[in-house]
Amino acid sequence: MARIGVISFSDGRDYVHDGIREFIATTEDKLVDRLTAAGHEVVRGKEIVATNTGASAVARQVAAAGVDLTVFHYAVWAFPHFTMLAAGATPGPLLLLSNIDPVQPGMVGMLAGGGALDQIGRVHTRLWGDPDERALIDKIGVQATASSAVASLRGSTFGRIGGRPMGMNTAVANTDQWQSVFGVDVEEIDQWEIVRRSELADQKEVTQAREWLETNAAGVHYDGKKLTPELLERQIRSYLAMRELIEEWNLDFSGIKGQPEMTQYFATMDIVEAFLNDPYDWNGPKETHVCATEADMDGALTMQLLKHIARTPVLFADVRHYHADRDIWDLCNSGQHATWYAARSDDPLENLSKVHFYPEVFFFPAGGASVHHLAAPGQMTLARLTRRGGNYRMHLMLGDFETYDDETNTKLMRQSTFEWPHAFARLDAKADDFLSRFGANHIHAVPGDHRAEVRAACELLGVELDEFTRG
């Protein structure tokens, strides 16, 4: 789950500390046991902090372990300057936690320490309660998950394959701002590298991949023009080329421009993007690699953050159409959805059994296969980083993906572009409000309710939260 540091603070008077040391140790033991039972790795301070030198030394020891979140634990009254010294030696996120006990004033210790941090502008989170309460452990877990996700961005590299697609301003971000706010570097790579490297791909693996798709998908619908075995193999070769680029340039996530050069003269990147985002390919299980179509930088950044929060593939889609009669949005994009979303199964073959590969449509004269399926139903968290006046904000909402009978599903999909993947989403947002405020044409989603973690991540990043509700 996450690596959490725990440092307990005490009274600086020797005679007081001697009398409360055992109580602090006991409450810390319980906290550590509950966090460990919840699946977290816990790094404990080597001693209870009761001196100036101990505050700095213990904080450095815990920080050196590479924790995602450091919990300052107050079971008793603690000298506030111990908090300040420990915070000075703690580079990462802080959570101040007070034990609730009518005899020992841990709450007073937390408030005194927290107030001192406020005075110097040190951002931190506060919680209080008994570690036996599962809700408290879950709240600590939310903060730890958010801290881990934010930390995963810092020092990472985004591979931007190509430039701005079709004049799409929202797909291009300021690289200095990315480095300053998120700690992400950008490596610029020309699309020619995909073309060049694809010609060098191992034919044996290319054939194996094509046959795997033909055998396991619901259908590969060759038409002899826009989709042929040769064009499908060209897309597979492009996927292998991207895998090479990812490894060679140590890319943590990426985006491919695609339009118009690749889609007019080479092949669409739908197969590439779908299987990079999938947790498997024809060689078996693999780590997902976030890859955004149209080299959408803020889209990819949103996806990378959601990936590390939810630990699942992340969906990328256009906000294509609103069916007002059903209050349903058709989230549909040119082949981008990972095939995992067809059934959200751990078994790749179960997902692929619901996936069709159709010839590309008139937008893309170069041809290739479009990855068509309908996303499986379930609760989803939907989000998107956008900018207003140069400052980042995070759009956030809860929703549900829905499916209907086959006839209705097909009818609705044919009202937009049938050959592309679809997700029918009922959003926790009024249509007028959403269309008036949402700052991009792309949206992203992960299964489950992860709004608390996204909120916490935004607080850590200093990003404005723009949350949609029906209220």
Side-chain angles (χ1 to χ4, degrees):
M1 296 283 285
R3 178 175 290 180
I4 302 173
V6 174
I7 301 174
S8 292
F9 294 86
S10 184
D11 194 299
R13 295 166 289 190
D14 290 346
Y15 63 92
V16 177
H17 176 60
D18 289 343
I20 58 179
R21 185 199 311 265
E22 184 176 347
F23 175 75
I24 298 171
T26 299
T27 56
E28 182 184 291
D29 287 342
K30 183 163 69 170
L31 172 63
V32 171
D33 287 347
R34 301 304 181 271
L35 289 172
T36 303
H40 302 292
E41 179 185 353
V42 180
V43 177
R44 301 178 72 157
K46 60 184 178 181
E47 61 185 32
I48 296 169
V49 173
T51 65
N52 297 2
T53 55
S56 297
V58 171
R60 291 192 187 103
Q61 169 242 323
V62 171
V67 296
D68 301 310
L69 173 72
T70 303
V71 175
F72 284 4
H73 174 232
Y74 303 89
V76 299
W77 160 254
F79 282 15
H81 69 295
F82 296 163
T83 293
M84 300 295 279
L85 288 165
T90 302
L94 294 177
L95 187 154
L96 277 53
L97 175 65
S98 167
N99 186 54
I100 300 298
D101 185 275
V103 177
Q104 294 294 344
M107 185 181 294
V108 181
M110 180 188 74
L111 291 171
L117 292 174
D118 284 343
Q119 289 178 187
I120 65 169
R122 178 63 186 270
V123 175
H124 62 279
T125 304
R126 303 180 196 178
L127 292 173
W128 51 92
D130 188 333
D132 280 333
E133 299 172 359
R134 179 65 196 215
L136 176 63
I137 299 302
D138 289 344
K139 289 178 181 178
I140 297 173
V142 164
Q143 294 297 322
T145 298
S147 298
S148 176
V150 169
S152 74
L153 296 180
R154 305 202 184 281
S156 64
T157 300
F158 172 73
R160 186 171 181 244
I161 317 299
R164 185 179 71 170
M166 302 182 299
M168 199 178 295
N169 289 0
T170 56
V172 182
N174 182 323
T175 56
D176 290 339
Q177 187 178 21
W178 264 32
Q179 189 66 252
S180 174
V181 177
F182 306 104
V184 177
D185 187 37
V186 178
E187 190 67 58
E188 299 282 354
I189 302 172
D190 198 280
Q191 292 186 111
W192 172 246
E193 275 294 87
I194 296 178
V195 177
R196 183 183 70 83
R197 290 169 185 257
S198 68
E199 297 174 355
L200 305 175
D202 177 26
Q203 182 58 50
K204 181 178 178 181
E205 181 171 358
V206 172
T207 301
Q208 172 201 346
R210 175 178 54 78
E211 292 176 347
W212 183 76
L213 293 174
E214 291 169 343
T215 300
N216 296 302
V220 178
H221 304 276
Y222 295 122
D223 67 350
K225 297 177 182 178
K226 285 291 192 71
L227 181 56
T228 64
E230 292 74 23
L231 276 170
L232 181 56
E233 288 193 359
R234 181 176 293 177
Q235 292 177 296
I236 294 167
R237 289 173 180 275
S238 300
Y239 171 82
L240 298 177
M242 270 300 297
R243 293 294 299 268
E244 277 189 9
L245 288 169
I246 290 164
E247 183 176 359
E248 181 176 319
W249 290 96
N250 298 305
L251 306 179
D252 296 284
F253 60 122
S254 62
I256 304 173
K257 178 186 178 185
Q259 299 190 71
E261 298 89 356
M262 303 292 270
T263 57
Q264 286 183 207
Y265 305 111
F266 188 65
T268 59
M269 295 292 102
D270 296 23
I271 293 286
V272 181
E273 292 159 351
F275 282 103
L276 285 176
N277 283 293
D278 265 323
Y280 50 78
D281 61 16
W282 38 88
N283 291 315
K286 67 173 183 64
E287 174 70 19
T288 60
H289 176 90
V290 163
C291 182
T293 196
E294 293 163 334
D296 183 344
M297 295 177 68
D298 287 340
L301 186 61
T302 306
M303 294 172 72
Q304 187 73 352
L305 185 65
L306 290 175
K307 168 189 169 178
H308 286 288
I309 286 175
R311 305 291 179 181
T312 68
V314 186
L315 183 134
F316 178 117
D318 276 334
V319 183
R320 178 64 182 271
H321 181 65
Y322 176 61
H323 294 278
D325 58 330
R326 293 176 174 268
D327 192 23
I328 290 293
W329 300 83
D330 186 355
L331 307 183
C332 172
N333 184 268
S334 55
Q336 169 70 31
H337 299 195
T339 66
W340 182 81
Y341 274 92
R344 297 207 304 276
S345 172
D346 292 334
D347 181 0
L349 301 188
E350 183 177 352
N351 299 322
L352 286 170
S353 70
K354 300 178 182 295
V355 176
H356 291 264
F357 296 95
Y358 284 112
E360 281 291 10
V361 296
F362 71 95
F363 292 109
F364 311 128
S370 178
V371 184
H372 165 89
H373 59 80
L374 177 60
Q379 185 183 63
M380 307 293 291
T381 299
L382 299 102
R384 168 73 193 203
L385 282 165
T386 66
R387 284 158 286 147
R388 179 171 54 188
N391 297 315
Y392 270 97
R393 60 182 174 176
M394 176 71 84
H395 299 298
L396 177 65
M397 71 205 79
L398 200 63
D400 287 281
F401 284 178
E402 298 184 358
T403 58
Y404 315 106
D405 60 86
D406 291 344
E407 181 180 354
T408 301
N409 290 336
T410 300
K411 179 181 177 181
L412 292 174
M413 287 189 285
R414 289 197 179 280
Q415 289 184 36
S416 56
T417 304
F418 176 79
E419 292 83 359
W420 295 351
H422 297 256
F424 297 142
R426 188 177 301 278
L427 302 182
D428 190 13
K430 295 178 180 178
D432 290 347
D433 193 28
F434 177 84
L435 290 172
S436 298
R437 286 164 48 191
F438 197 72
N441 51 305
H442 295 151
I443 194 168
H444 317 285
V446 286
D449 184 355
H450 298 282
R451 289 175 298 172
E453 290 87 347
V454 175
R455 294 183 193 114
C458 288
E459 186 174 356
L460 290 168
L461 290 165
V463 168
E464 175 192 353
L465 182 65
D466 181 17
E467 190 162 355
F468 288 88
T469 64
R470 289 268 180 186

